[in-house]
Amino acid sequence: MTAPAAALIGTAAALTTGIPAQAAPGTGATPGAETLGDPVYPALGNDGYRVSAYHLDFAYDVTTKLVEATATLTIRTTQALSRFSLDARGLDIRSVRVDGRTAAFEQVAEKLRITPAGPLPAKARAKVVVAYGADPRRTPPPAGGWVATPDGFAVCCQPDLAHTVFPCNDHPSDKADFTFRISVPDGLRGVASGTLVCTEQLSGGLTAYTYRSRSPIATEVVQITVGDYVIKERQGPHGLPLRDVVPVARATALEPALALTPGLVAWVEQRLGAYPFETYGLLPCNNDASNAFDFTGLETQTLTLYKPNYLLQEESKIGSHMMHELVHSYFGNSVSPATWADLWLNEGHADFYGLLYRYERGWTDSLGMTTLEARMKHTYAQGDQWRRDSGPVAAPNAANLFDSQRYLGGVLVLYALRQQVGEAAFTALERTFLERYRDSTASTEDYIALASEISGQDVTGFLRDWLYGTKTPRMPGHPDWTVTPVKASLAAPRDRRDSHHHDNSATL
């Protein structure tokens, strides 16, 4: 897997710049590649620079329901650049400035190509300012990242839709600091990932809310929302500030679900260590449409987006999935995937701990099972079929990225590893992984190497068989477990437009 992935990066970088990489006369500057060579989304991201910070300034017009925005990116070049690109689609670009000077630009497919007034030297900082407009109703999920509501909008950018909300280097490997300034008419609230640092009263009956993240954020888990909200604050373990952003009309009905969060945080901290961010809470989006977005919850950083009606159920129906989304604060947000092929690290861990939480409470799962061992035996039997239909756990493609193989298949890998190395070594591995890669990214190979380091045994071959093999390995400690023979799949080929289906979590 490693060698082909490396080859892909080189090939994609060479082929997808669109214009031959000719040096600007006398500067040595060339266009940056219009890809980061992701094995699942090879056209996503851009090279030649890294983003250190975004400042997003949004102004919402309640009459037109449109957004006027300015995205200011602080970048650091990794080569001398005659031209570079951002990911952007469905945005009405007004102007681009680089270091205060007007820059030429063109929109080609999902790229915004920018040619600065003069070449940018290598290892230099530059400020890129893009003014643009957007209509949150124009391209709803799963084709776009905006969720329109009667009183505003929220965003859902995972996996590859952040660039339909703001121009960016849309790949989780290029995490950055974020500030957000959201101007709204009086009576509405603007909220974003991070914590509120400033409120300004503007002329014309407008208020601007500024939020800043303490930790870097991957573009796919940014949250920006406008609506008729009440902010409900409560205290979590060790004084952790918790804040929920709740539609005013739903606040009372949703309170029983929101009140569960302190207990959830206490449980996960006992297993994975201190919660990694400055705050946590839920955003029950003010949209009940079944197709408002194609998931129940989405782990946008510090503020998990939810379908509101889901949270109206009793605790035994929602607690396991609330834990799943909370665990993403650790696996997925604090430690982000190096590529989208590493998604199992996010979803496998979120389901693993979400199921443990369920079974500890004696709640049956969707199959009527009450123990992780029983669920894993059932999943193990399907192992070869899933590998045939959805590929190995750590080798997805764009069409099957969010199949059950990345969720329960990932849980099965973690269960097998715990069986192999023992619970003490497994727990040490989990905590060390989160500490070592906090506020950064990690790959499947990083996890495999650390598993060998912490356990004191070489589990490289063991884990690679589980993660990349086409046949399900034997389960340590369970020689009696068997795999059901593969049957020809009766499923119709998937349409690429249906590939962003997130609701295969076993915690639902």
Side-chain angles (χ1 to χ4, degrees):
M1 185 69 180
T2 305
L8 172 65
I9 291 172
T11 303
L15 295 181
T16 62
T17 55
I19 296 175
Q22 298 175 343
T27 67
T30 57
E34 294 182 353
T35 176
L36 286 173
D38 189 88
V40 178
Y41 296 111
L44 207 59
N46 308 274
D47 212 352
Y49 66 91
R50 290 294 179 267
V51 183
S52 58
Y54 292 87
H55 176 77
L56 303 180
D57 197 329
F58 279 29
Y60 178 69
D61 188 317
V62 72
T63 303
T64 64
K65 299 187 181 300
L66 301 178
V67 173
E68 283 296 321
T70 302
T72 302
L73 289 70
T74 303
I75 67 171
R76 184 169 182 81
T77 60
T78 56
Q79 66 178 77
L81 289 170
S82 60
R83 191 191 73 223
F84 62 95
S85 57
L86 302 175
D87 296 305
R89 173 168 61 84
L91 305 176
D92 302 317
I93 308 298
R94 315 277 195 228
S95 65
V96 179
R97 298 177 70 82
V98 177
D99 285 337
R101 302 172 69 187
T102 299
F105 67 89
E106 62 175 337
Q107 292 178 264
V108 181
E110 305 206 14
K111 301 293 179 179
L112 173 63
R113 288 184 183 148
I114 299 170
T115 303
L120 302 179
K123 298 182 180 178
R125 292 170 64 88
K127 183 167 288 187
V128 183
V129 180
V130 182
Y132 66 100
D135 183 350
R137 300 159 299 176
R138 181 183 295 164
T139 311
W146 300 87
V147 180
T149 65
D151 49 359
F153 63 86
V155 301
C156 57
C157 298
Q158 191 183 89
D160 61 341
L161 298 173
H163 65 283
T164 69
V165 176
F166 59 100
C168 58
N169 201 25
D170 198 2
H171 194 270
S173 64
D174 195 13
K175 297 169 74 166
D177 294 330
F178 274 83
T179 57
F180 310 86
R181 183 175 182 267
I182 311 164
S183 303
V184 296
D186 290 346
L188 297 182
R189 289 290 295 260
V191 187
S193 299
T195 53
L196 182 66
V197 295
C198 179
T199 302
E200 306 166 71
Q201 298 300 320
L202 308 178
S203 61
L206 300 175
T207 304
Y209 300 91
T210 298
Y211 285 78
R212 179 177 296 129
S213 67
R214 186 184 68 190
S215 302
I217 308 179
T219 53
E220 48 118 357
V221 288
V222 159
Q223 183 55 257
I224 310 162
T225 185
V226 168
D228 182 16
Y229 292 130
V230 58
I231 310 300
K232 305 192 78 170
E233 297 180 338
R234 67 193 85 226
Q235 194 171 87
H238 320 296
L240 175 69
L242 301 176
R243 57 92 192 249
D244 299 305
V245 180
V246 192
V248 169
R250 301 171 181 268
T252 300
L254 287 165
E255 179 57 25
L258 305 177
L260 299 175
T261 298
L264 292 164
V265 175
W267 187 91
V268 78
E269 285 194 335
Q270 290 177 353
R271 286 149 185 84
L272 299 178
Y275 175 77
F277 300 122
E278 62 268 45
T279 186
Y280 184 68
L282 305 188
L283 168 61
C285 188
N286 192 21
N287 190 328
D288 292 313
S290 60
N291 62 348
F293 38 90
D294 60 340
F295 50 85
T296 297
L298 182 67
E299 63 275 15
T300 49
Q301 193 156 310
T302 71
L303 190 62
T304 293
L305 181 66
Y306 260 106
K307 288 184 175 176
N309 286 342
Y310 176 79
L311 296 173
L312 296 177
Q313 302 176 90
E314 62 188 74
E315 182 182 1
S316 62
K317 302 293 186 184
I318 62 175
S320 182
H321 192 64
M322 289 178 71
M323 179 58 70
H324 171 109
E325 298 298 345
L326 174 58
V327 169
H328 276 314
S329 294
Y330 297 79
F331 292 97
N333 293 10
S334 179
V335 182
S336 298
T339 75
W340 282 107
D342 303 309
L343 180 74
W344 79 273
L345 284 167
N346 301 12
E347 303 301 348
H349 277 103
D351 258 15
F352 182 85
Y353 291 101
L355 287 173
L356 285 179
Y357 185 76
R358 177 191 292 275
Y359 299 137
E360 278 191 17
R361 272 142 193 77
W363 301 333
T364 57
D365 62 25
S366 60
L367 301 181
M369 297 177 181
T370 56
T371 67
L372 184 62
E373 183 173 318
R375 188 63 185 263
M376 289 299 93
K377 184 177 182 180
H378 180 271
T379 304
Y380 184 81
Q382 302 173 82
D384 283 2
Q385 188 72 51
W386 284 10
R387 287 168 190 266
R388 179 192 182 279
D389 294 344
S390 299
V393 175
N397 60 40
N400 64 34
L401 180 61
F402 289 98
D403 281 8
S404 295
Q405 181 73 305
R406 258 44 78 187
Y407 292 79
L408 264 179
V411 178
L412 192 66
V413 173
L414 297 173
Y415 179 85
L417 178 60
R418 191 176 69 170
Q419 291 287 109
Q420 178 74 9
V421 302
E423 188 156 359
F426 179 78
T427 300
L429 162 64
E430 298 284 270
R431 284 178 171 257
T432 304
F433 180 77
L434 292 170
E435 291 167 6
R436 184 168 298 184
Y437 295 103
R438 179 172 180 164
D439 289 340
S440 185
T441 61
S443 68
T444 298
E445 287 299 317
D446 291 329
Y447 188 81
I448 292 172
L450 190 62
S452 296
E453 175 189 326
I454 298 299
S455 68
Q457 54 182 285
D458 187 354
V459 293
T460 305
F462 175 86
L463 279 173
R464 285 183 178 164
D465 286 347
W466 274 97
L467 290 163
Y468 298 113
T470 56
K471 295 292 183 181
T472 306
R474 293 183 180 276
M475 178 60 72
H478 294 288
D480 57 315
W481 286 14
T482 58
V483 180
T484 303
V486 170
K487 296 180 181 180
S489 177
L490 300 178
R494 258 175 297 229
D495 188 301
R496 174 65 181 85
R497 292 169 295 181
D498 296 330
S499 66
H500 293 170
H501 183 74
H502 295 60
D503 273 357
N504 283 315
S505 169
T507 60
L508 287 166

